Structure formats: structure tokens, C-alpha cells
């Protein structure tokens, strides 16, 4: 028999686990001795940034997370909101940035798998997915490989699992050259009286391992995701998990069937830090200890050590506390679905996390100290200095300006991406990706849910506070523009190294803006994820706090369409001042990144969103104005409908300014008149800016054939990456 000799605990070994000198001293103080190798691994897994949120906890606590619609806020596998009729929506967004850069296909695929498990672990059947992808410059040597790998990974996993991808975003910027972002969102439907949580309860209850077997893939993944990249990045490939969507589908069906038996006391997805994190979280929330016997863990590789089993991030696995009298029924369910079901331990009364392997004690730690007592840092931060005011921007031929936007992969049609995703599986998609929020009908009811994902990283970099507000405001507008009442949000906070005060300052500023906006717009944050250390060789990404938001339509009749017709009037709700600081035009045409982000008036955002929803019967089509301003929004509406557009102005600021709290509305003449009266009575600014019709894009008399512009818009992305 081969006896594994555990390595000696050296300074190099401690450092390689991402544990600094102060943290190691804290470990010594807690346990009163030197940790074993397995114990060091467990502390590393639980105390890294990815699992403990040690740099962000202080600020996350400031976010509004409650409201009458909220059933469950942050702290569980996913957030839950009430959507009426005894139904709840369960949703969350999470990052898989580091794995996706190292191994694009599997990194993105397992990101999708992980977020789907977070949803069905709570008893919800997934109904929708989104993703927010940020890549480096299109001409960077790695970008093409990353785009192909990530998009294939998202589609490969999601399509096989069978959940529609209904929305998302794709952006490119040189700041992501060495560190792409892959943020995955999933939402599911549950009955409000059949929601499952992760807190263990009862002493001596069996702890059950469910799903696929444990391998060596992903060992140390969470620790890797809490570090910057350097030239050793290729060495980190073994830390990326490998996913199997067909096993995940079986796991979901088995889990939901198991829940119906009444056997489940509590249940937890095995995500970051695998068996360690899931066992500790269940014990911590239930104020119980946990004992595990690792020889009972189903493994797919020979002679796995305790260290490897505890830190493996193999996919498609769950941990559950079971009602012992229903063990036979529970096992029968998993046998039917050909999945592993193994009792691997039990809950204990003492505050201990005890790990045995073949009768040998591998770890004996105070459980609470691993979770609740993890380090918490009040990192030094520097407020982001005010930017220099915008210098003069030359006027530009409006058609040339539009052409520059629609020929850029940032603003061209993303059909090449979303056509690789199944957007119609389950048959309830009411609006698929392309223009505005995605919409999914709630099967068997008249209701529908709208989904959107938004952030403008340039704004956040220039002014974190206003950029944070803007991300929420844009999500709010995207939901209102399709007629949905915004309900709640999830956030994925992607930033660089928090140990740099200027980066921490971006984080603090953005959270202040996000917190203020979700409060003013009644969209509390119910779940989320923080991804820090998104840096390579010391260069950080643009601060990218992605906001995923959901909205409710009580009847599908409330959906505001996008059906522009010949002769429709074009109206803009909200005043246009022509803000060009940090605009799409400024970057794409002039290569400039100067000026301030547009400022967001939250009271006006709310008033305008309410006006759109309350007068939806007078509106034929609607979209918010954001990147690219009026010119891009009007073109996209026109292009989608295959009809020309005439705008009265040729002014660069009017056409391409990115003032906030604005919507573009299309309707017939009589409806336009009625809306004008209603807006005036409400003290809101609504003006006619042109009309739809013909076969030209005509801005102030400067024209181009719609067909030509459309061909550029639809072909630019594929031309760059296909």
C-alpha cells in the first residue's frame, strides 16, 4: 500500500496557498498549532477572496437588499423575489473570469453550469440564462481564440442543458487584453412554499454526496481566482474544471425529484472550493459541526488524497443533509438517474470540521472560524479624482459617425454570438437577444419576466459613483422599455487588485452609486458575486460592475413591441443636452477617453420609466438611449423593422450625446399627440425628433441607403471574428 507523505509546512507552501503572514499567524492563534497540509488547503480555500469576500464585505453590507418583493436576499445560493400567484423567481450572476482566460471553452462552460446549479439547488427549474462577456482589443493576438472558445463554451453547455439564453452583452477594450470577463446569469422558477435553503439542521443527520464523481480537476481553482495573472498563467491550466452538461441535466432532474420526496433538510451546490466550502457553509448557517469520511466520497481517479478531495472543483456535484428515515427513497431517485449517492459524513453538535480518511484524522478545525471568522479587511482607498472637463469635440458627418459605430464589434449586431445559443428551447421565449431586454413567458400563466444585463465600464473608470448609478439606471430603462416593472437586481462586481488604493477607490465609489440607484429605483440587490484581482502583469481591467436585472409583466399583453412601421413618429422622452464625455462616438471615431461620465438623475429616471409603463398602450416601439445616443438607437429600431429613418437634426451632440433618462418612442401620429399632452401634464420633456419610413438613413438631410448600413451592421462582427 502506498502511504502518502504530506509536505512540510514551509513559508513557500503557505505563500503558494495565497495566505499572508498575518493570516497564517491568525490560523496558528485559532488552532493553537501548526496546520496539517490538508488543513492549510482548507483555510486557503475558505479564506481566499473568491469565497470569503474579505476585501469587499465591509462595502457589500451597505447595499440595499430588502423590499416587499424580496423573499431571500444575499447569502444563499441565489436571490429570490416574489412574482405573485405563489411563484418566485430565483436568480444570480457569477463570474468565471480567470478559468475562461486560461481555458476558454471549459472555463465558460463550467461558469454556466455553476450558475445553473445555484438556481436549481434552491428548488427552482431554470427558465433563462444571460451572459456578459468582456474581451480585449479585437486585434490582440489572444482575443479571437478567447471569443471563439468562450462563446462555444457558453453555447455548448447551455444548449445541451436546455435553457434559453435570452440576453447579455459583449464588449471589447484593450483593458481586457490579459483578463477577459465571463459573467454568467441564470434564473429559475419555484413555488414559494417549495424553496430549499443551505442551512443544516439536526445533530447526527447524514451528510450526503450527490452527482458526479470527484476528480483532480479544479484543485485550487478558488485560490487561483483570487490572484493576479503573470507569465506563469499556462501552469494554472489544471486548476480549470471540466463540465458535462448532460450529467448536470440529470442532476437537476434528480435533485428536483428528490426535493419532492421530503427527504431534503438542506442542500448546497459544490462550487468554488468544492467539498470544503459546501460543507462549511451548511454547518456554519445551521450552527452545527460536520464530520466527513473521505474514503466514502465517490472518486474517478486513483489514490486521491484528502487534500485533493477537499479542494477539487469537479463539476455537477451537490452536498445535502438528509432525513435518515427517507434514505432508501432518496437513494432510489439517484440510482434511477445513474448518479452517485453516498453518505459521506454527519452533522455534529460541536463547532468542529473533522475530516477522516481511511481512519486517519486529516483535519480537525473550528468550523465557525473557517467561515464567519474569516479575515475582513478595511482596505485603504483613494477617491477617484475628478476628470478633466471634455475639450472640444469636432462635428462629424452624421452618417460617417453612425458607420464608425455599426462597423465596430462593440456596436455591430451580435447575431454571430447569440445565433450559437439556443434562444427558444422550452418554447416560452417571447423576445430573444438582439434589441433590448429578453422576455420569457411563465408557462401556464399570463405572466412574463424581462431580463437585462448592463454596465458601461468607461463611465465607471471616469467616475465610479456616476458609472455605478448609470449601470443600474440603464438596466431599469431596458426593463421599462419593454413594459416590465423592474423588480430586483443581481450584481457581478469585476475589479482589479483591491490592495491598490486607487482600485479599491473605484470599488467603493461604484458601490455608493449602485446602492443609491437600486434604492431610488426600488430594485434591491438580492444576490451577486465579487471578482477581484482581474489584472495581468500589474495592468487592471476597466472597473466592470455588471448589473443583471429582472422585471415583471403581469400579462403578456403589457409587452411593448419593437414593431416600427412606415410613417411612425419618432419621439424622445427626456431632454437632450448632448453629453459626449466618455461616449461611444468619442472612443470609436476619435480614439479619445476624456471627459466625465454622464450624470444620472434618479428621480427623473423613475418618472420617465413610470411614464413609459403607464402609457404602453400608446407606444408601438420603445428603446432606451445609451451608448451611441439617438443616432444608434434610431438606426437599431429602424434596422430591426427593415424600414428607413429620418431624424431632423444633423448635429453631432444631438445625435450622439449620451444624456441619461431618455427613451426613443415610435408610434402613429394620433398616439404621438396624446403622449405629448400626457407628458406636458406630467411636467416631462417629450419632443418629436423625426419619423420612420422609406429606405434611407437620413440624419438632417445627410443620407445613406438603409440596406448598405444594415449590411455593415450585420456583417462587422462576423467579419472580425469568423
Amino acid at each position: 500500500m502506498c502511504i502518502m507523505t504530506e509536505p512540510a509546512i514551509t513559508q513557500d507552501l503557505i505563500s503558494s496557498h495565497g495566505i499572508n503572514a498575518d493570516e497564517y499567524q491568525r490560523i496558528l492563534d485559532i488552532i493553537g498549532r501548526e496546520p496539517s497540509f490538508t488543513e492549510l488547503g482548507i483555510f486557503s480555500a475558505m479564506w481566499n477572496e473568491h469565497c470569503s469576500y474579505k476585501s469587499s464585505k465591509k462595502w457589500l453590507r451597505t447595499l440595499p437588499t430588502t423590499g416587499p418583493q424580496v423573499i431571500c436576499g444575499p447569502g444563499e445560493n441565489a436571490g429570490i423575489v416574489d412574482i405573485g400567484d405563489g411563484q418566485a423567481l430565483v436568480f444570480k450572476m457569477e463570474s468565471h473570469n480567470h478559468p475562461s482566460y486560461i481555458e476558454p471553452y471549459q472555463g465558460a462552460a463550467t461558469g454556466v453550469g455553476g450558475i445553473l446549479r445555484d438556481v436549481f439547488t434552491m428548488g427552482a427549474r431554470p427558465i433563462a440564462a444571460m451572459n456578459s462577456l468582456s474581451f480585449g482589443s479585437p486585434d490582440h493576438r489572444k482575443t479571437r481564440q478567447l471569443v471563439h472558445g468562450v462563446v462555444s463554451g457558453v453555447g455548448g453547455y447551455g444548449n445541451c442543458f436546455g435553457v434559453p439564453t435570452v440576453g447579455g452583452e459583449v464588449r471589447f477594450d484593450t483593458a481586457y487584453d490579459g483578463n477577459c470577463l465571463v459573467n454568467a446569469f441564470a434564473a429559475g422558477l419555484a413555488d414559494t412554499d417549495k424553496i430549499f435553503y443551505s442551512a443544516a439542521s439536526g445533530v447526527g443527520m447524514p451528510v450526503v454526496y450527490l452527482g458526479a464523481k470527484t476528480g483532480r480537476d479544479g484543485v485550487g481553482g478558488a485560490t487561483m481566482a483570487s490572484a493576479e495573472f503573470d507569465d506563469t498563467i499556462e501552469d494554472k491550466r489544471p486548476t480549470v474544471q471540466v463540465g458535462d452538461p448532460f450529467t448536470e441535466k440529470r442532476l437537476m432532474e434528480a435533485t428536483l425529484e428528490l426535493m419532492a420526496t421530503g427527504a431534503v433538510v438542506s442542500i448546497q451546490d459544490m462550487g468554488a472550493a468544492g467539498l470544503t466550502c459546501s460543507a462549511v457553509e451548511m454547518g456554519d448557517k445551521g450552527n452545527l459541526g460536520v464530520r466527513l469520511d473521505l474514503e466514502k466520497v465517490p472518486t474517478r481517479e486513483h489514490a486521491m488524497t484528502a487534500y485533493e478531495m477537499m479542494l477539487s472543483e469537479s463539476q455537477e456535484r451537490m452536498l445535502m443533509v438528509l432525513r435518515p428515515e427517507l434514505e432508501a427513497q432518496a437513494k432510489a431517485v439517484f440510482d434511477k438517474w445513474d448518479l452517485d449517492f453516498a453518505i459521506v459524513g454527519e452533522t455534529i453538535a460541536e463547532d468542529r470540521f473533522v475530516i477522516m480518511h481511511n481512519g486517519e484524522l486529516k483535519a480537525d478545525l473550528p468550523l465557525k472560524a473557517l467561515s464567519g471568522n474569516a479575515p475582513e479587511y478595511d482596505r485603504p482607498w483613494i477617491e477617484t479624482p475628478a476628470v478633466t472637463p471634455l475639450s472640444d469635440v469636432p462635428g462629424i458627418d452624421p452618417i460617417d459617425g453612425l458607420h464608425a459605430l455599426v462597423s465596430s464589434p462593440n456596436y455591430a449586431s451580435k447575431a454571430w454570438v447569440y445565433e450559437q445559443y439556443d434562444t427558444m428551447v422550452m418554447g416560452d421565449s417571447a423576445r430573444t437577444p438582439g434589441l433590448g431586454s429578453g422576455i420569457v413567458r411563465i408557462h401556464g400563466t399570463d405572466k412574463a419576466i424581462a431580463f437585462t444585463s448592463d454596465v458601461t465600464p468607461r463611465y465607471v473608470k471616469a467616475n465610479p459613483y456616476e458609472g455605478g448609478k448609470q449601470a443600474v439606471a440603464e438596466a431599469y430603462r431596458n426593463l421599462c422599455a419593454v413594459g416590465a416593472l423592474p423588480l430586483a437586481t443581481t450584481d457581478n462586481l469585476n475589479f482589479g487588485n483591491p490592495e491598490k488604493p486607487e482600485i479599491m477607490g473605484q470599488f467603493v465609489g461604484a458601490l455608493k452609486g449602485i446602492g443609491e440607484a437600486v434604492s431610488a429605483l426600488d430594485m434591491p440587490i438580492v444576490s451577486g458575486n465579487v471578482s477581484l484581482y482581474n489584472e495581468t502583469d500589474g495592468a487592471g481591467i476597466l472597473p466592470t460592475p455588471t448589473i443583471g436585472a429582472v422585471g415583471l409583466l403581469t400579462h403578456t399583453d403589457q409587452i411593448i413591441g419593437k414593431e416600427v412601421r412606415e410613417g411612425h413618429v419618432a419621439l424622445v422622452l427626456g431632454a437632450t443636452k448632448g453629453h459626449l464625455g466618455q461616449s461611444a462616438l468619442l472612443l470609436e471615431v476619435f480614439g479619445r477617453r476624456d471627459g466625465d461620465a454622464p450624470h444620472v438623475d434618479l428621480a427623473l429616471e423613475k418618472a420617465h420609466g413610470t411614464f413609459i409603463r403607464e402609457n404602453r398602450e400608446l407606444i408601438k416601439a420603445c428603446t432606451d438611449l445609451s451608448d451611441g445616443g439617438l443616432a444608434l438607437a434610431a438606426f437599431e429600431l429602424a434596422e430591426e423593422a427593415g424600414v428607413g429613418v429620418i431624424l431632423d437634426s444633423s448635429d453631432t451632440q444631438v445625435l450622439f450625446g449620451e444624456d441619461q433618462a431618455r427613451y426613443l418612442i415610435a408610434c402613429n401620429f394620433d398616439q404621438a399627440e396624446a403622449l405629448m399632452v400626457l407628458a406636458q401634464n406630467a411636467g416631462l420633456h417629450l419632443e418629436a425628433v423625426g419619423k420612420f419610413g422609406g429606405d434611407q438613413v437620413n440624419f438632417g438631410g445627410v443620407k445613406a441607403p438603409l440596406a448598405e448600413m444594415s449590411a455593415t451592421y450585420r456583417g462587422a462582427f462576423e467579419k472580425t471574428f469568423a
Side-chain angles (χ1 to χ4, degrees):
M1 183 179 164
C2 174
I3 303 293
M4 295 294 299
T5 307
E6 293 196 340
I9 306 296
T10 63
Q11 192 50 57
D12 284 352
L13 189 70
I14 295 164
S15 297
S16 72
H17 281 74
I19 293 170
N20 63 33
D22 288 344
E23 288 169 350
Y24 188 65
Q25 185 56 53
R26 189 165 177 167
I27 291 170
L28 295 178
D29 293 343
I30 287 170
I31 63 177
R33 55 176 171 79
E34 186 178 81
S36 69
F37 179 53
T38 302
E39 288 174 334
L40 184 71
I42 288 170
F43 271 109
S44 165
M46 291 304 303
W47 284 13
N48 65 63
E49 194 70 55
H50 198 71
C51 295
S52 73
Y53 296 100
K54 57 191 178 187
S55 299
S56 57
K57 263 192 283 197
K58 171 184 164 82
W59 297 103
L60 294 175
R61 290 192 192 102
T62 65
L63 292 172
T65 59
T66 57
Q69 70 276 46
V70 177
I71 294 173
C72 175
E76 273 291 340
N77 285 298
I80 310 176
V81 291
D82 193 326
I83 59 168
D85 308 313
Q87 292 180 306
L89 192 75
V90 180
F91 65 99
K92 189 183 184 185
M93 185 179 267
E94 207 159 67
S95 62
H96 233 222
N97 305 337
H98 287 58
S100 299
Y101 188 77
I102 300 166
E103 180 49 73
Y105 184 95
Q106 290 297 351
T110 51
V112 173
I115 199 68
L116 288 167
R117 275 196 310 284
D118 279 338
V119 166
F120 70 73
T121 303
M122 301 199 72
R125 183 173 287 277
I127 61 166
M130 293 192 292
N131 51 80
S132 176
L133 312 177
S134 305
F135 299 104
S137 171
D139 53 11
H140 186 268
R141 57 182 177 79
K142 274 209 71 162
T143 300
R144 192 172 184 279
Q145 175 213 349
L146 287 168
V147 169
H148 276 260
V150 166
V151 171
S152 297
V154 169
Y157 203 103
N159 296 355
C160 293
F161 181 87
V163 63
T165 298
V166 297
E169 46 187 353
V170 185
R171 70 176 57 81
F172 300 88
D173 192 285
T174 188
Y176 306 103
D177 282 351
N179 200 127
C180 61
L181 302 183
V182 176
N183 294 176
F185 169 101
L189 203 61
D191 293 337
T192 51
D193 60 350
K194 293 175 184 160
I195 294 165
F196 289 81
Y197 298 99
S198 58
S201 65
V203 174
M205 303 291 266
V207 174
V208 185
Y209 174 112
L210 305 169
K213 288 180 167 53
T214 293
R216 290 188 171 94
D217 55 323
V219 172
T223 303
M224 174 272 295
S226 304
E228 293 182 26
F229 285 150
D230 53 28
D231 56 9
T232 64
I233 185 172
E234 289 302 318
D235 302 341
K236 296 182 169 73
R237 196 173 296 276
T239 62
V240 178
Q241 315 91 323
V242 177
D244 175 359
F246 298 108
T247 301
E248 177 114 337
K249 177 72 171 170
R250 287 186 291 128
L251 180 62
M252 177 187 75
E253 296 296 349
T255 302
L256 295 176
E257 192 172 324
L258 178 70
M259 288 168 167
T261 67
V264 178
V265 175
S266 61
I267 190 161
Q268 175 76 33
D269 159 47
M270 279 197 227
L275 190 53
T276 293
C277 194
S278 53
V280 168
E281 285 191 4
M282 287 175 82
D284 180 51
K285 288 173 185 171
N287 291 312
L288 291 166
V290 174
R291 172 196 161 113
L292 296 177
D293 296 298
L294 295 186
E295 68 276 6
K296 296 174 181 175
V297 170
T299 56
R300 63 167 187 260
E301 297 185 50
H302 181 63
M304 286 189 70
T305 64
Y307 178 94
E308 290 169 332
M309 281 190 266
M310 292 307 296
L311 297 192
S312 164
E313 294 183 11
S314 296
Q315 297 291 287
E316 295 87 38
R317 302 180 302 156
M318 319 272 263
L319 202 64
M320 170 182 85
V321 175
L322 173 75
R323 296 193 193 282
E325 67 275 15
L326 294 173
E327 180 189 331
Q329 292 97 309
K331 187 174 184 311
V333 170
F334 273 72
D335 287 348
K336 181 182 102 173
W337 289 98
D338 195 23
L339 291 164
D340 277 292
F341 176 102
I343 294 176
V344 295
E346 64 175 0
T347 57
I348 55 179
E350 300 81 28
D351 175 29
R352 311 299 300 170
F353 191 39
V354 180
I355 309 299
M356 305 295 295
H357 192 205
N358 295 319
E360 188 180 343
L361 181 67
K362 291 294 184 180
D364 185 358
L365 298 169
L367 189 142
K368 282 273 181 210
L370 290 167
S371 180
N373 297 343
E376 185 175 326
Y377 295 123
D378 185 2
R379 300 268 190 210
W381 58 279
I382 299 168
E383 190 166 343
T384 304
V387 293
T388 309
L390 183 68
S391 54
D392 282 348
V393 179
I396 185 172
D397 177 290
I399 296 297
D400 289 351
L402 180 64
H403 187 271
L405 293 181
V406 301
S407 58
S408 160
N410 274 314
Y411 303 108
S413 165
K414 305 301 188 300
W416 183 86
V417 173
Y418 61 74
E419 283 172 359
Q420 297 183 52
Y421 305 150
D422 194 333
T423 59
M424 295 302 292
V425 64
M426 301 173 76
D428 284 317
S429 302
R431 184 175 292 186
T432 53
L435 187 66
S437 302
I439 303 175
V440 173
R441 293 181 292 270
I442 302 298
H443 201 70
T445 76
D446 293 324
K447 294 183 297 199
I449 304 289
F451 300 93
T452 184
S453 164
D454 300 284
V455 64
T456 309
R458 292 187 315 279
Y459 293 173
V460 188
K461 177 82 184 294
N463 187 330
Y465 170 69
E466 289 295 341
K469 279 164 63 181
Q470 192 278 337
V472 177
E474 188 174 339
Y476 177 85
R477 289 199 300 274
N478 276 329
L479 295 173
C480 293
V482 298
L485 173 69
L487 278 186
T489 48
T490 179
D491 59 2
N492 205 146
L493 306 171
N494 308 273
F495 290 80
N497 184 344
E499 296 167 47
K500 297 177 178 175
E502 62 276 16
I503 301 291
M504 200 62 209
Q506 292 175 348
F507 183 86
V508 172
L511 257 70
K512 287 181 176 177
I514 290 168
E516 194 172 312
V518 297
S519 177
L521 300 173
D522 298 324
M523 300 167 71
I525 291 186
V526 297
S527 59
N529 174 235
V530 178
S531 175
L532 303 176
Y533 296 95
N534 289 290
E535 300 204 355
T536 299
D537 296 329
I541 60 161
L542 289 174
T544 312
T546 310
I547 300 294
V550 301
L552 175 66
L553 296 126
T554 54
H555 199 287
T556 50
D557 290 352
Q558 295 176 339
I559 297 174
I560 298 173
K562 48 185 178 179
E563 294 76 36
V564 172
R565 298 280 183 268
E566 182 84 26
H568 274 170
V569 180
L571 303 166
V572 170
L573 176 63
T576 300
K577 294 174 183 166
H579 183 96
L580 289 176
Q582 302 298 334
S583 64
L585 183 85
L586 201 64
L587 185 61
E588 298 291 349
V589 173
F590 301 102
R592 289 169 53 181
R593 297 172 180 266
D594 50 327
D596 197 0
H599 285 220
V600 177
D601 181 332
L602 292 167
L604 204 56
E605 291 282 5
K606 192 162 188 183
H608 287 177
T610 303
F611 181 85
I612 294 289
R613 293 195 311 276
E614 287 180 348
N615 297 292
R616 55 169 68 88
E617 71 280 357
L618 297 170
I619 299 171
K620 295 296 187 199
C622 184
T623 182
D624 88 305
L625 302 195
S626 48
D627 273 347
L630 173 61
L632 187 59
F635 168 76
E636 287 179 338
L637 265 188
E639 199 275 340
E640 175 88 8
V643 66
V645 59
I646 303 157
L647 296 180
D648 301 334
S649 179
S650 62
D651 183 80
T652 300
Q653 286 184 278
V654 170
L655 289 172
F656 297 99
E658 294 179 7
D659 310 282
Q660 299 296 294
R662 294 186 303 155
Y663 296 81
L664 175 62
I665 295 167
C667 56
N668 63 41
F669 187 78
D670 291 348
Q671 290 166 327
E673 282 195 319
L675 283 168
M676 288 281 197
V677 172
L678 288 163
Q680 190 174 5
N681 292 343
L684 302 178
H685 186 98
L686 182 68
E687 62 179 319
V689 295
K691 63 180 183 179
F692 294 92
D695 59 0
Q696 303 281 307
V697 178
N698 179 338
F699 293 167
V702 186
K703 304 175 190 176
L706 176 68
E708 276 182 27
M709 204 64 82
S710 180
T712 302
Y713 174 70
R714 291 194 174 262
F717 198 99
E718 189 167 357
K719 187 177 171 185
T720 308
F721 293 108

